[in-house]
Amino acid sequence: MYSLFKKISFSLLISAIFITGSVYSQDREEYRDEAIEILESVPLFDGHNDAPYQYRYRVGYKFSELDFYDTTQLENPMQTDIPRLKEGRVGVQWWSVFVSANIPENEAVVQTMEQIDFVKRMAKKYPEVFEMAYTADDVERIFENGKIASLVGMEGGHSIANSLGVLRQFYDLGARYMTITHSRTLDWADASTDAPEHDGLSEFGEEVIREMNRLGMLVDLSHVAKTTMRDAIEISEAPVMFSHSSARAVCGHVRNVPDEILPLVKENGGIIMVTYVGSYVSEELRQYIADREAYERRLEYLYQGEVDLIAEKMEEWREEHEAPTSTLNQLADHIDHLRDEMGVDYIGIGGDYDGTSILPEGLEDVSTYPDLFAELLKRGYSEEDLRKIAGLNMLRVMRGAEETAERLQNEREPSEVLISDFE
């Protein structure tokens, strides 16, 4: 989830659509009906959506105050609602149950439980649309019945408060993946956006991975440091996933997956679900944001305490420096790169809708998935390629985790390891 506490307004990032972009859109439109037909034949997985968190901070989880059938009328509209999910042909949604990594861990446990409760209440509130899923078989059955299968993904190992017992209870509550870290390095795992402490995973962190394998909970490596990626893939006996990360060779953001990790993901049988966060998609936008933030830090040092003057100078800087935009075509470039390096069998989609305010042109909300798949058809991807990217790859990964768990549960008991054993 892109930080909701450092939002960049849409107005700063919207610029005119170039003529070449319009031509691409017209060309793409010829393939849209075929893309929709493909997405109606296979369950389209989205690896990450933060609507539960939106409901938390906007209305305290109250459906009575925010109807999920229309979230467009809000002063700050959401990117997700039921009509647009249907228009986008979303068949399976991994709902992120994100809570801040900066709150006390015991509080994080409670808030994560509340988010899981929200997802389950949502499925009961709108039973004509959603149904909870816990296995790959559930996903296929629910899709065949014309509903959106709802899976729970925990975004950050801080939510287990250093306890394998809590991890097991979250699995029992329905969580089927856990992102090992969010933005903060934990007592047992290094994050990509914080100072490292363990050179990847600590010994207790390795045990977390093993216990996740035994449970059948997918190991999600979005947000973790490169060293943590390596350690987790080496230890995991089940396929791993990146629920919302793109290719670092195309855009150098640290949240993306570097090329040296790609063959490890392939050998493991895992999946990288490309994300739509603008600064993870466009290198030009990433550089622009870095320049802007560096200038703001300079002003804060030069004019300490002069808030109005800093704001005035920042506005002048924005007027002089037009923000580049990320685009659907750039997102497709990430998929091209992953295909060329690994093959189509290890690619999925992880939008991160409602977890970011910076989205590519052409991918502004959850209704736009067919447009991306139309672009891939235009680029020469086969129907079978797109069926894999949309859903078959994720179903394979889920089944791999389930089969591994069945075997491991016959081989060993739940882990009795405590983090204090290593202190």
Side-chain angles (χ1 to χ4, degrees), residues 34 47 50 72 74 77 123-124 129 175 197 230 237 257-258 291 297-298 346 364 385 402 417 419:
E34 184 180 353
D50 279 295
T72 64
L74 302 168
K124 290 182 178 179
V129 179
E197 297 179 10
R230 285 186 174 278
E237 298 181 56
V257 188
D291 291 344
R297 297 292 86 74
R298 183 173 185 271
Y346 311 98
E364 289 82 4
D385 289 340
E402 292 165 11
V417 168
I419 194 169

Side-chain angles (χ1 to χ4, degrees), residues 232-262:
I233 293 171
E234 180 179 353
I235 292 162
S236 181
E237 298 181 56
V240 301
M241 68 185 294
F242 290 79
S243 66
H244 57 310
S245 295
S246 294
R248 200 177 297 185
V250 180
C251 175
H253 201 289
V254 70
R255 276 276 286 99
N256 287 337
V257 188
D259 272 3
E260 64 197 84
I261 299 297
L262 302 185

Side-chain angles (χ1 to χ4, degrees), residues 5 12 25-27 46 67 77 82 95 104 107 140 145 157 160 187 211 243 257 272 296 315 334 350 352 391 399 407:
F5 306 104
L12 298 179
S25 179
Q26 292 168 6
D27 290 348
D46 178 85
D67 185 354
I82 289 169
W95 299 106
E107 186 176 338
E140 292 191 316
N145 290 336
I160 68 169
D187 292 335
E211 189 66 1
S243 66
V257 188
I272 297 172
E296 188 170 14
E315 184 59 30
H334 285 263
D352 202 8
R399 287 204 161 91
R407 172 175 60 81

Side-chain angles (χ1 to χ4, degrees), residues 156-158 160 162 164 167 178-182 184-192 195-213 219-237 240 419 422:
H158 57 285
I160 68 169
N162 295 338
L164 297 181
L167 174 71
M178 183 173 74
T179 319
I180 299 307
T181 72
H182 188 248
R184 177 174 63 83
T185 286
L186 304 180
D187 292 335
W188 47 273
D190 289 335
S192 64
E197 297 179 10
H198 316 288
D199 193 30
L201 291 170
S202 72
E203 290 184 78
F204 180 75
E206 295 175 358
E207 190 69 6
V208 172
I209 302 302
R210 285 189 282 266
E211 189 66 1
M212 291 175 71
N213 285 172
V219 175
D220 176 23
L221 299 177
S222 288
H223 283 287
V224 306
K226 181 170 61 177
T227 50
T228 307
M229 296 176 193
R230 285 186 174 278
D231 285 353
I233 293 171
E234 180 179 353
I235 292 162
S236 181
E237 298 181 56
V240 301
I419 194 169
F422 303 101

Side-chain angles (χ1 to χ4, degrees), residues 220-388:
D220 176 23
L221 299 177
S222 288
H223 283 287
V224 306
K226 181 170 61 177
T227 50
T228 307
M229 296 176 193
R230 285 186 174 278
D231 285 353
I233 293 171
E234 180 179 353
I235 292 162
S236 181
E237 298 181 56
V240 301
M241 68 185 294
F242 290 79
S243 66
H244 57 310
S245 295
S246 294
R248 200 177 297 185
V250 180
C251 175
H253 201 289
V254 70
R255 276 276 286 99
N256 287 337
V257 188
D259 272 3
E260 64 197 84
I261 299 297
L262 302 185
L264 305 182
V265 176
K266 180 176 181 177
E267 183 179 359
N268 166 267
I271 187 170
I272 297 172
M273 309 184 86
V274 293
T275 190
Y276 295 2
V277 179
S279 57
Y280 304 172
V281 172
S282 166
E283 177 63 15
E284 294 77 14
L285 179 56
R286 184 178 82 96
Q287 294 287 345
Y288 168 87
I289 293 172
D291 291 344
R292 189 197 63 207
E293 293 193 354
Y295 184 70
E296 188 170 14
R297 297 292 86 74
R298 183 173 185 271
L299 293 177
E300 289 172 348
Y301 180 80
L302 291 174
Y303 306 106
Q304 296 180 49
E306 298 187 53
V307 177
D308 292 341
L309 178 59
I310 292 171
E312 179 183 338
K313 288 186 175 294
M314 283 303 302
E315 184 59 30
E316 292 173 357
W317 189 90
R318 293 185 185 106
E319 290 174 358
E320 295 170 2
H321 300 80
E322 183 178 11
T325 57
S326 59
T327 67
L328 183 155
N329 287 290
Q330 288 174 327
L331 193 282
D333 291 342
H334 285 263
I335 296 175
D336 284 351
H337 181 79
L338 295 176
R339 175 203 58 189
D340 293 345
E341 294 295 319
M342 300 190 302
V344 297
D345 293 324
Y346 311 98
I347 305 171
I349 305 295
D352 202 8
Y353 283 115
D354 281 307
T356 179
S357 61
I358 318 171
L359 288 162
E361 289 179 348
L363 297 171
E364 289 82 4
D365 61 44
V366 295
S367 70
T368 61
Y369 291 103
D371 297 295
L372 174 61
F373 282 83
E375 173 63 24
L376 297 178
L377 283 170
K378 183 173 77 69
R379 293 186 180 208
Y381 287 74
S382 70
E383 177 180 339
E384 186 60 19
D385 289 340
L386 297 193
R387 285 169 54 83
K388 289 179 178 181

